[in-house]
Amino acid sequence: MATVAMLGNFDWKQFKRRAFSTPANSAITIIVYAVLLWLVWTAINWALFNAVWSAEDVEQCSKEGACWSVIDARYRLILFGLYPFDEHWRSTLACLAIVGTIVLSCFPWTWTAKRLSVIWVVGFAAYYLLMEGGLLGLTQVTTDQWGGLALTLFLFSSVVLIGMPMGLGLALARRSEMPVLRTFASLVIDLIRSLPLLTTLFTAAVVMPILLPSWLEGDKIWRVIIAFGLFFACYQAEVLRGGFQAIPKGQFEAGKALGLTYWQILGRIVLPQVFRHALPATINNVVVTFKETAIVIIIGFFDILASANAAFGTPEWAPYYLEVLIFVALIYWVFLFGLGQYGEYLKRRMKVAER
Amino acid sequence: MFSKGVMAGLAMAAGLALPTASMAESPTIKTIEERGTMLCSGHNGSYFGFVEVNDKNEWKGLDIDLCRAMTTALLGDPEKAQIVPLSWAQRFPALQSGDVDIIIKATGWTMGRDTELGLQFSIPYFFGGAQFMAHGDLGITEAKDLEGGTICVEAGTTIERIAANYLQSLGVEHTMVSYEKASELRAAYLANRCDSFVAWGPFLAVLRATELDNPDAHVILNDQLSNEPISAAMRQGDEEFVDFTNWMLAALLIAEEEGITSENVQEMAANPPNPKIARLLGTEPGMGERLGIRDTWAREMIAAVGNYGEIYHRNLGDDSPYKLERGLNNLWSHGGVLYAPQLD
């Protein structure tokens, strides 16, 4: 929205003054724009006008245009990974459940602890029931068959869901007046932040089963989500700490003077401001986490990038890897651009409070 | 003191009792039977020819077919194979922690893996080595025809040294051009900067089938410059499971030797042309008991996935887009190095 608004307010007079001030400048402007236009035209030509669209027409594919046949033939693999073919409707509904949960919790109307928790519990239960099955006549599909976009969305939303409260807890503990708690929180945060994410996940997925007794082992996907969530939480704790530091101590003291309890001060005075201050960095953290989920490819999860790799991993489709990667990039873009725009909206909404 | 007769009797009793008792004791096979599925290694993506995913989201490839063969032999149904996606780095820890029962994942049999990593390997099921690929219009089929030619190779690899040694021993004058990156190497070959290109054989076949505009215009030469045996890897300490894997592979080879295919296996089992086939296919009892499983395991396995030749051709050879010559991977009787232990 902000980007669109910026285009709408484009100052043509200023552009003219700057870009065409001297003949040399005009020439440079024209050349640069001509090249840009040519590039855009070539790209559009390749992607749209010369493209082949259906899987049956794959013979017509050439270097001139994109061969979207590969998407037509393989989109199910990209979106759902190795999930059983006949059960893809379940994976589709599960994706919608997660996206619905995320979208719903973006509306300010839902921002009470009760509503949010109901939405998330229902959303996740729906996702899990649909994907795992084993109930209500749905055949069971174990987590090692989950994949594609459905898995990426699940990983991302579980990590954020687990990591956000943990991050808040860690941030509070780090500011606590109890030395033991404070030291413990600092230790955890500094330890985990000094380990690479890859190592953390590899340990959770591969080394843990060797160390843990089998009754504590659990499913690989949950070990990875908890480790990833902890990683997210440590970064989020530091982001929130910045927010806490921006709030004058006097507010806390004023609250105490009014006879409010610790939790009342926190919930009604401090936290709303903390979140506002920490918002840009939080959105940043969330966006990075969405992209970082692709790391799970290393521990054998079939996330969207791994399934894209498998999609162009047969000889008949291998020449069209670019089309597959562009398709996956578009999916990432839709989600992350949406997230970024939502951040902008939140910022504007919160400015109202500051006025 | 025991008399000699008693000692001999004890030894015989032990000798007779042990093998049959231990055959059924493989902990891995027991786990697989209790679970009702067999867990094999897949890949986190695609490894051409060995592990791929088809348009129906099903796994396929040489390694996958071997897993299906093994599952059929153990559980009677190829559908009971469960492929667990694994990365390269993850495969050995995953085997040790029991995430998979066996690794069949284009994995070379090396001393380090065999000793330090605590693995044991099956007999090799595939041999891959350095080979030359040349432009077809040169009209050559052997490395000695490369006289005076330019050969491209990836810098700093063992293949570079192997190729130089090989050509020197043949007395072929040549110019070696090395490139830092595989992509540069490919581009140089395509731009006709070199007559020939040396790399791992299956890699050349994949490259020819997937990235070159006209696969027929390139020839993979017959010479095998080196040889890396590819085996299935299992956890140390379960000899019976290794025995089973070895005889599963052996049965696929014997089937090819004897002309048993997925098409004719039922006929052959009904009217076995010789006692060896009768025994192999379980028409005569004995095969199963020794391994602690059903007598008809080999028959069911061949009916489900075919013999070794069929598996090879479907995934890498003539019936696949790669058209990789059998070469070393042919039976010993056809000039290759694959052979089965004696079936008695």
Side-chain angles (χ1 to χ4, degrees):
Chain A
M1 303 258 269
T3 324
V4 179
M6 253 162 59
L7 276 177
N9 295 338
F10 192 79
D11 189 341
W12 286 102
K13 267 185 196 155
Q14 198 182 32
F15 175 70
K16 234 177 182 174
R17 202 168 59 234
R18 284 181 180 164
F20 295 94
S21 51
T22 63
N25 267 356
S26 307
I28 291 171
T29 304
I30 288 168
I31 290 170
V32 167
Y33 277 87
V35 169
L36 260 179
L37 211 66
W38 178 78
L39 279 177
V40 170
W41 176 245
T42 323
I44 290 178
N45 238 342
W46 178 82
L48 298 177
F49 299 129
N50 291 338
V52 179
W53 297 90
S54 98
E56 286 88 59
D57 300 340
V58 63
E59 254 88 84
Q60 297 167 23
C61 283
S62 68
K63 287 248 152 62
E64 303 301 311
C67 186
W68 300 115
S69 321
V70 59
I71 306 297
D72 190 23
R74 307 282 265 180
Y75 73 95
R76 283 177 154 214
L77 176 58
I78 300 172
L79 294 182
F80 308 127
L82 300 163
Y83 206 78
F85 211 70
D86 300 328
E87 310 283 343
H88 279 176
W89 61 273
R90 280 163 56 182
S91 211
T92 315
L93 286 181
C95 273
L96 290 177
I98 283 282
V99 172
T101 307
I102 296 173
V103 168
L104 265 182
S105 49
C106 283
F107 288 110
W109 177 80
T110 60
W111 293 350
T112 66
K114 206 166 143 198
R115 284 179 193 156
L116 268 186
S117 43
V118 167
I119 289 173
W120 282 84
V121 166
V122 169
F124 264 80
Y127 178 93
Y128 198 78
L129 181 68
L130 281 164
M131 287 297 273
E132 173 87 22
L135 277 176
L136 304 176
L138 300 173
T139 48
Q140 191 175 10
V141 180
T142 46
T143 50
D144 55 313
Q145 284 167 286
W146 298 12
L149 181 64
L151 181 69
T152 297
L153 283 176
F154 179 66
L155 281 175
F156 163 71
S157 43
S158 331
V159 164
V160 173
L161 181 67
I162 292 176
M164 222 24 129
M166 263 207 297
L168 182 58
L170 280 171
L172 287 175
R174 194 166 193 173
R175 291 176 56 80
S176 161
E177 280 159 10
M178 289 177 264
V180 179
L181 195 61
R182 196 169 56 223
T183 323
F184 176 72
S186 314
L187 259 177
V188 169
I189 292 173
D190 289 338
L191 182 74
I192 300 217
R193 283 200 311 157
S194 58
L195 292 171
L197 177 60
L198 189 58
T199 325
T200 316
L201 295 187
F202 200 85
T203 311
V206 181
V207 185
M208 280 301 198
I210 301 175
L211 301 178
L212 288 178
S214 55
W215 55 271
L216 207 74
E217 218 178 85
D219 201 289
K220 186 167 83 166
I221 199 167
W222 292 113
R223 293 199 305 270
V224 167
I225 285 175
I226 289 169
F228 206 151
L230 192 61
F231 190 85
F232 176 85
C234 290
Y235 277 85
Q236 189 55 31
E238 289 300 279
V239 164
L240 290 175
R241 185 159 77 128
F244 274 112
Q245 278 170 352
I247 295 169
K249 220 177 168 201
Q251 294 202 7
F252 234 99
E253 285 159 1
K256 269 185 195 161
L258 285 173
L260 299 176
T261 64
Y262 173 79
W263 294 108
Q264 280 173 330
I265 299 171
L266 205 65
R268 303 199 176 264
I269 302 173
V270 180
L271 278 187
Q273 301 184 70
V274 167
F275 277 116
R276 190 182 315 146
H277 287 300
L279 183 71
T282 302
I283 294 280
N284 214 7
N285 205 6
V286 169
V287 165
V288 167
T289 302
F290 192 96
K291 289 189 270 193
E292 271 179 348
T293 54
I295 288 182
V296 298
I297 194 173
I298 282 299
I299 43 178
F301 280 105
F302 232 75
D303 82 316
I304 190 166
L305 220 54
S307 56
N309 177 320
F312 58 78
T314 58
E316 61 267 47
W317 298 120
Y320 312 117
Y321 62 92
L322 195 61
E323 284 83 344
V324 175
L325 291 177
I326 288 174
F327 180 69
V328 172
L330 263 175
I331 293 178
Y332 270 105
W333 183 81
V334 166
F335 279 97
L336 296 177
F337 188 74
L339 216 56
Q341 292 303 308
Y342 177 64
E344 292 289 324
Y345 156 78
L346 279 187
K347 239 186 272 172
R348 262 180 288 124
R349 190 173 180 278
M350 286 176 171
K351 278 224 180 79
V352 177
E354 270 167 21
R355 269 202 298 251
Chain B
M1 287 295 117
F2 297 112
S3 73
K4 268 189 180 170
V6 173
M7 288 292 272
L10 277 175
M12 265 179 71
L16 285 174
L18 268 176
T20 38
S22 63
M23 252 20 268
E25 290 292 291
S26 161
T28 313
I29 293 181
K30 218 174 142 206
T31 316
I32 293 168
E33 282 171 347
E34 275 167 15
R35 196 195 294 125
T37 55
M38 169 146 185
L39 305 175
C40 293
S41 51
H43 191 52
N44 52 350
S46 172
Y47 191 67
F48 289 96
F50 292 88
V51 186
E52 296 175 14
V53 182
N54 71 9
D55 283 356
K56 288 249 167 266
N57 287 17
E58 293 155 349
W59 292 100
K60 63 170 191 148
L62 184 76
D63 288 347
I64 300 298
D65 274 352
L66 289 177
C67 169
R68 293 220 169 101
M70 208 162 167
T71 311
T72 317
L74 276 179
L75 301 170
D77 181 2
E79 296 302 313
K80 290 188 174 155
Q82 200 177 335
I83 311 292
V84 182
L86 292 179
S87 62
W88 294 114
Q90 196 192 358
R91 61 193 151 152
F92 300 127
L95 178 69
Q96 299 294 13
S97 68
D99 281 352
V100 289
D101 296 316
I102 191 168
I103 297 172
I104 310 178
K105 190 174 159 72
T107 297
W109 182 358
T110 70
M111 186 174 177
R113 289 169 182 172
D114 208 346
T115 56
E116 290 159 10
L117 286 185
L119 302 174
Q120 28 187 18
F121 285 88
S122 70
I123 54 172
Y125 65 85
F126 185 84
F127 290 87
Q131 281 181 283
F132 291 106
M133 180 161 74
H135 294 284
D137 48 15
L138 297 174
I140 59 175
T141 55
E142 281 180 75
K144 65 174 167 41
D145 303 329
L146 285 169
E147 182 71 40
T150 314
I151 289 140
C152 289
V153 64
E154 203 172 331
T157 58
T158 50
I159 288 181
E160 186 178 12
R161 206 182 60 237
I162 293 167
N165 281 345
Y166 186 79
L167 291 174
Q168 203 177 4
S169 66
L170 282 182
V172 172
E173 286 288 320
H174 65 276
T175 319
M176 198 73 95
V177 185
S178 50
Y179 291 89
E180 281 300 327
K181 277 193 192 156
S183 53
E184 291 171 17
L185 177 60
R186 237 171 292 171
Y189 173 75
L190 289 179
N192 264 318
R193 296 256 293 281
C194 29
D195 303 307
S196 170
F197 173 177
V198 57
W200 199 56
F203 171 77
L204 288 175
V206 166
L207 181 76
R208 182 172 64 171
T210 59
E211 288 192 28
L212 304 183
D213 290 335
N214 183 6
D216 299 333
H218 304 271
V219 192
I220 296 177
L221 306 187
N222 292 330
D223 307 63
Q224 283 280 352
L225 280 60
S226 65
N227 175 16
E228 190 190 336
I230 304 290
S231 289
M234 288 152 281
R235 285 182 287 268
Q236 198 96 51
D238 191 348
E239 286 79 8
E240 289 78 20
F241 190 49
V242 179
D243 287 345
F244 165 71
T245 307
N246 280 340
W247 282 101
M248 185 278 299
L249 293 169
L252 293 174
L253 293 171
I254 297 170
E256 188 183 4
E257 231 163 70
E258 299 286 342
I260 309 169
T261 64
S262 52
E263 310 263 299
N264 68 11
V265 60
Q266 301 300 357
E267 275 166 56
M268 288 270 209
N271 305 303
N274 65 46
K276 193 177 176 187
I277 293 179
R279 168 147 282 194
L280 178 74
L281 299 181
T283 317
E284 258 175 47
M287 272 288 276
E289 194 192 331
R290 286 166 163 184
L291 294 167
I293 51 174
R294 307 173 318 285
D295 266 337
T296 52
W297 64 269
R299 186 198 305 181
E300 292 168 35
M301 172 174 86
I302 294 160
V305 295
N307 63 35
Y308 182 85
E310 289 178 272
I311 295 177
Y312 184 91
H313 282 303
R314 182 160 64 234
N315 295 301
L316 288 170
D318 293 341
D319 303 333
S320 78
Y322 306 116
K323 313 263 182 270
L324 185 65
E325 289 285 324
R326 287 288 290 268
L328 288 178
N329 295 301
N330 217 328
L331 297 174
W332 64 275
S333 47
H334 292 78
V337 297
L338 292 177
Y339 62 90
Q342 198 77 18
L343 179 66
D344 57 356

